Amino acid sequence: MPIKTLLIANRGEIAIRVIRSARAAGIRTVAIHTDLDATAPHVRAADVAVPVVSYLDIAEVVAAAVAAGADAIHPGYGFLSERSAFARAVEEAGIKLVGPSSTVMDKMGRKDAAREIAVAAGVPVVPAYTLDTPATELAYPVLVKAAAGGGGKGMRIVRNADEYAGAVEAAAREAAHSFGDDTLLIEKYVESGRHIEVQVMADAHGNVLHLFERDCSTQRRHQKVLEEAPAPTISEEIRKAVTSAAVALAAEVGYENAGTVEFLLDNASGEAYFLEMNTRLQVEHPVTELAVTVQGEHPDLVAVQLRIAAGEPLGFTQDDVALAGHAIEARVYAEDSFGGFLPQAGTTSIVRWAEHARVDQALEPGQVVSTAYDPMLGKVIARGPDRESARRALVAALDETAILGLTTNVGFLRALAASDEFRDATIDTAWLDHHEVPAPDADVARIGVAWVMALLAPSNPSDPFSADGWRSAGAASPFLARLDRTVAVDRVAGTADGRRVVELSAENHVLELEVDGVRHRITANVQRGVLEAVHQGQRFVFERPDPFAEHGPAEGDGSLLSPMPGTVLAVDVTVGDQVEEGQRLGVIEAMKMELVLKAPFAGTVSQVGAATGDQVQLKQLLFSVEALDG
C-alpha cells in the first residue's frame, strides 16, 4: 500500500534527509522532538511535529505515530533504528517500519546472532573467544565489543591479560548505556586491515542485490571519519567475493529494505572476514548514491527504501547497477580534534557550508549544540570522475566550510583529506590510533583577523568594533591589531605581520587574501569581545592578553577542571581521602564518550566540585588534590 504519512523517529541531518525524499514522493511527514529540540531545523522541515520526552522511548514514539495518523515510520540511524523491540512494537501497532522485520532484526541486528548465521552460510568470520575463556589463555591483541549496536560504542582493544578485566567492565558499561544491552563479543583484533562494507537492497518479492561497496577504513577508535565508494584498494576478486557474500547472507535471512554487510579485510592474510550486518540505512549512504548509477541515474536510497516499504518491487536488476566515478564523505562533529577529541558544546555564530559539494546537515547560525546527543552536525560529500578528483573536491569543500562560535573537527578533516597518506590510500583501520594529524597553523587566520580589524578601524579610530559591515575604504597605516600578540597591518604597503598581503575581496564575513603569493579564504567574526576566524576549516580564537589577569596555576597545582561539558557518571573520592598518582577520581561523559579523571600525583583530596549525575561546564572545577609533604 502507498505510504501517505511518514513519521521520522530521529533528529538532525538524517531526519531532514528523509523528509526531503518523502516530500519528493508526495508523502506527508511527521517529526518528533524533545523540549531541547523544539525549534530544531528538522522540526521546521516536517509537515507536522509531535513532542516526546525521549527519542529512545519506544512506547512514546509509537504513540506519536499513531496519534499523527502515520502509516509508516523511518528510524534513520542511531536511537531506535536497530532495536528489534521497537520494530516489534511498530508492527503490533499496525504501522510499517521502513526497514527489516523485527524477526530479521533479532537475527542480524546483533553481532553475536549474525555471526552464527554467517558461519552457517559459509561466510568467513573473525576468530573469536567466549567470555568464559580465561584472560591468560587469549591470544592478544583481542577486541572486546558490544553485541548490540555499533558506531564504535562499547569497543576496547586489549593487548595483555592485565588490561582485560577493566576493558570488559568499561565496554559492558558503555554498551548498556548506549544500547541497553551489555552483551559482549571477544574476537581476534586485526592490527592492520581495511573496513569494507557492502550496500544491499532487498524487497518483499525475493529480489536481493548489492550497490557495490564502500571503504570506511579511515576511522578513529572504531568511529568512522572519512568514507568513500568504491573501495580504492581491493581487487576485482575481493570485490566479487564480498558483494556476492553480502547478497547471499541477506537472501538467507529473508532480509527486506536497505542493509549493510560489513567485512574486515586483513592486510596480512588478504582474507575478508564478515563483521556484522547493520539493519538500517548507514550514515555514509550518500557516497553510494554519488558513486553508483541505477539504470544510468544516481539512486536516492531513501526513495528506494520508501518504495520497498510500500510493497513495491525494486524495479531494477543487478545488471542495472554500475559504478560511475568516486565519492568521499567527511563527518562533521562538535569536537576538538586537536585537543584530545573532546566533545564540544556551545552556540554557533556564523555557519557557512560548502556550496560546491553535497552537504547533509542540520546546523544553522545561532543554534545551541548540547552534549545531550550524538556530536555529528552534518556531512560534506564530494564526487569526481576518479578518486583523486573527488579527494581534491572534498578538500576544497572543507575549505569553504566555516563554523564559528563552536569548535568542530572540520580543520582536522581537511588536514586528513589533504594528507599524503589519504591521497595514497594507505590509511588502515588502526592508522589514526597511532598517528597524529598535524594541527593547522594559526598564522594566516591571525593575519585575517588583524586585517579585518584594520578594515573596521575607519568608522571610529578609537573603536575598531563599532561597524556592522566591513569596509575597504582604508585605515590609517600602519594599524596595530592587539590579538594574542600584536600584529602590524599596513594596507597601503600591503603587509601584515611582516608578510606580503593582497586583499582580493572582503564582504559578509569572508575575506579572500593572497598571502606571500598564496590565495587564502578566511571567515572571520570580529566584534567587541569576539576575535575568531576559520581558515582551512579550523577555528581559531584569539584572546587579547590582559596584563592585570592572574597567571595560570603554578606548576604542580592539583586542580582538575572538566575537560568538556557533560555529565558526571561517577565520583570515587571524598574530601580528605588519600590518593595515589594515577588513581581514578571520577568519570565524566558527554555524547556517549567517557573520560576518566585521575589524580595528577599522590596526595589528599581537598575539594570535590560535583556529584554523580551533575551537569558540568567546560573548565568547571571537579577535584583538587594537595600533594603530600616531602
Side-chain angles (χ1 to χ4, degrees):
M1 293 179 58
I3 297 173
K4 296 180 180 178
T5 299
L6 178 72
L7 180 135
I8 299 91
N10 219 294
R11 67 184 295 277
E13 58 88 19
I14 183 54
I16 292 175
R17 165 73 185 88
V18 173
I19 289 169
R20 185 169 68 243
S21 291
R23 179 162 291 139
I27 298 172
R28 175 175 172 262
T29 58
V30 181
I32 58 172
H33 65 86
T34 60
D35 289 345
L36 194 63
D37 274 346
T39 60
H42 80 277
V43 175
R44 303 198 308 271
D47 297 311
V48 180
V50 180
V52 294
V53 173
S54 169
Y55 294 103
L56 292 170
D57 189 314
I58 292 174
E60 192 176 24
V61 172
V62 173
V66 171
D71 42 20
I73 296 177
H74 196 300
Y77 35 71
F79 290 132
L80 299 172
S81 62
E82 291 186 284
R83 301 274 185 93
S84 60
F86 175 61
R88 191 165 295 109
V90 172
E91 293 163 358
E92 291 172 353
I95 299 173
K96 179 65 177 178
L97 182 72
V98 182
S101 68
S102 60
T103 301
V104 170
M105 202 175 286
D106 274 329
K107 294 178 180 178
M108 301 306 295
R110 292 181 56 87
K111 296 179 179 68
D112 48 1
R115 178 187 173 89
E116 293 176 5
I117 293 171
V119 170
V123 177
V125 296
V126 180
Y129 305 90
T130 69
L131 281 169
D132 296 329
T133 305
T136 54
E137 296 181 12
L138 301 178
Y140 295 95
V142 297
L143 181 65
V144 178
K145 66 180 184 180
K153 305 298 188 296
M155 283 192 178
R156 297 291 188 279
I157 299 169
V158 186
R159 298 193 176 278
N160 57 65
D162 293 338
E163 300 174 356
Y164 182 72
V168 168
E169 177 187 353
R173 182 176 61 247
E174 190 170 284
H177 178 66
S178 299
F179 314 119
D181 187 334
D182 63 359
T183 306
L184 300 176
L185 291 175
I186 314 297
E187 294 180 343
K188 165 190 174 182
Y189 177 64
V190 176
E191 289 281 9
S192 177
R194 300 196 73 86
H195 182 118
I196 309 296
E197 59 185 37
V198 179
Q199 177 70 62
V200 295
M201 302 294 290
D203 62 24
H205 305 277
N207 301 306
V208 186
L209 49 77
H210 69 81
L211 277 72
F212 289 98
E213 81 290 338
R214 300 182 285 259
D215 186 313
C216 306
S217 301
T218 307
Q219 51 186 255
R220 178 185 171 274
R221 295 184 179 177
H222 309 288
Q223 182 65 56
K224 298 167 186 175
V225 179
L226 298 175
E227 302 112 338
E228 57 187 308
T233 63
I234 64 173
S235 65
E236 283 301 319
E237 181 182 7
I238 291 294
R239 172 171 288 130
K240 183 177 180 180
V242 296
T243 54
S244 60
V247 169
L249 194 64
E252 174 69 21
V253 78
Y255 198 84
E256 181 183 323
N257 217 275
T260 298
V261 184
E262 300 193 349
F263 297 87
L264 180 62
L265 180 62
D266 188 341
N267 287 337
S269 67
E271 293 184 81
Y273 298 117
F274 167 75
L275 287 178
E276 62 179 309
M277 184 173 193
N278 289 306
T279 55
R280 53 170 169 78
L281 192 69
Q282 292 281 88
V283 173
E284 58 272 21
H285 75 274
V287 296
T288 293
E289 293 180 322
L290 296 182
V292 168
T293 58
V294 174
Q295 297 174 335
E297 300 290 336
H298 291 292
D300 178 338
L301 297 191
V302 175
V304 176
Q305 283 191 290
L306 295 174
R307 291 200 303 270
I308 293 171
E312 298 179 27
L314 281 171
F316 56 92
T317 68
Q318 191 66 66
D319 290 340
D320 293 324
V321 182
L323 288 171
H326 203 95
I328 310 174
E329 173 180 288
R331 300 187 182 195
V332 177
Y333 287 113
E335 69 177 19
D336 185 357
S337 304
F338 298 108
F341 292 90
L342 296 180
Q344 299 293 296
T347 303
T348 60
S349 54
I350 298 169
V351 177
R352 300 288 169 81
W353 293 102
E355 297 180 356
H356 299 94
R358 171 174 167 175
V359 177
D360 289 6
Q361 55 85 18
L363 187 73
E364 57 193 8
Q367 187 168 330
V368 176
V369 175
S370 77
T371 58
Y373 302 115
D374 187 274
M376 191 169 71
L377 306 173
K379 304 172 301 194
V380 179
I381 313 103
R383 182 190 179 278
D386 53 52
R387 185 177 188 269
E388 179 58 13
S389 60
R391 186 191 69 85
R392 289 178 178 272
L394 179 63
V395 172
L398 294 171
D399 278 342
E400 287 186 86
T401 304
I403 300 172
L404 290 87
L406 174 75
T407 296
T408 72
N409 69 332
V410 177
F412 172 80
L413 294 171
R414 196 271 183 196
L416 184 59
S419 69
D420 292 346
E421 292 82 3
F422 186 75
R423 179 198 63 199
D424 298 337
T426 58
I427 295 178
D428 62 17
T429 55
W431 192 88
L432 277 174
D433 295 330
H434 303 291
H435 296 80
E436 286 190 6
V437 175
D441 194 292
D443 286 352
V444 171
R446 184 184 293 107
I447 287 172
V449 170
W451 198 269
V452 171
M453 292 173 68
L455 287 174
L456 295 175
S459 61
N460 182 351
S462 65
D463 183 4
F465 307 104
S466 62
D468 293 327
W470 295 357
R471 292 172 170 79
S472 298
S477 295
F479 175 83
L480 298 181
R482 292 178 174 83
L483 303 174
D484 54 334
R485 60 178 174 79
T486 300
V487 177
V489 177
D490 191 328
R491 295 182 67 245
V492 175
T495 62
D497 209 21
R499 300 174 69 175
R500 295 292 305 172
V501 177
V502 177
E503 179 186 314
L504 303 176
S505 65
E507 59 180 346
N508 200 20
H509 293 283
V510 178
L511 187 65
E512 296 275 356
L513 295 180
E514 193 175 90
V515 180
D516 293 337
V518 179
R519 185 168 184 155
H520 294 274
R521 176 190 178 102
I522 303 110
T523 304
N525 189 16
V526 176
Q527 301 179 46
R528 189 188 306 275
V530 178
L531 298 170
E532 63 175 325
V534 168
H535 174 240
Q536 294 183 341
Q538 182 65 28
R539 175 184 180 232
F540 298 95
V541 178
F542 300 101
E543 296 182 0
R544 292 179 168 188
D546 183 351
F548 301 104
E550 293 183 3
H551 294 290
E555 184 176 352
D557 180 74
S559 298
L560 277 78
L561 308 182
S562 179
M564 61 186 183
T567 304
V568 177
L569 292 185
V571 173
D572 300 339
V573 295
T574 59
V575 173
D577 284 356
Q578 299 291 309
V579 294
E580 300 297 325
E581 181 179 349
Q583 180 176 330
R584 193 180 96 164
L585 306 180
V587 181
I588 184 172
E589 183 267 348
M591 296 176 178
K592 300 179 182 177
M593 175 182 177
E594 291 186 14
L595 195 69
V596 175
L597 301 174
K598 299 179 181 180
F601 40 70
T604 304
V605 177
S606 57
Q607 282 184 280
V608 176
T612 301
D614 282 359
Q615 298 290 319
V616 295
Q617 301 302 313
L618 178 68
K619 296 185 179 180
Q620 180 175 329
L621 176 68
L622 299 182
F623 302 99
S624 287
V625 177
E626 293 184 359
L628 296 174
D629 293 337

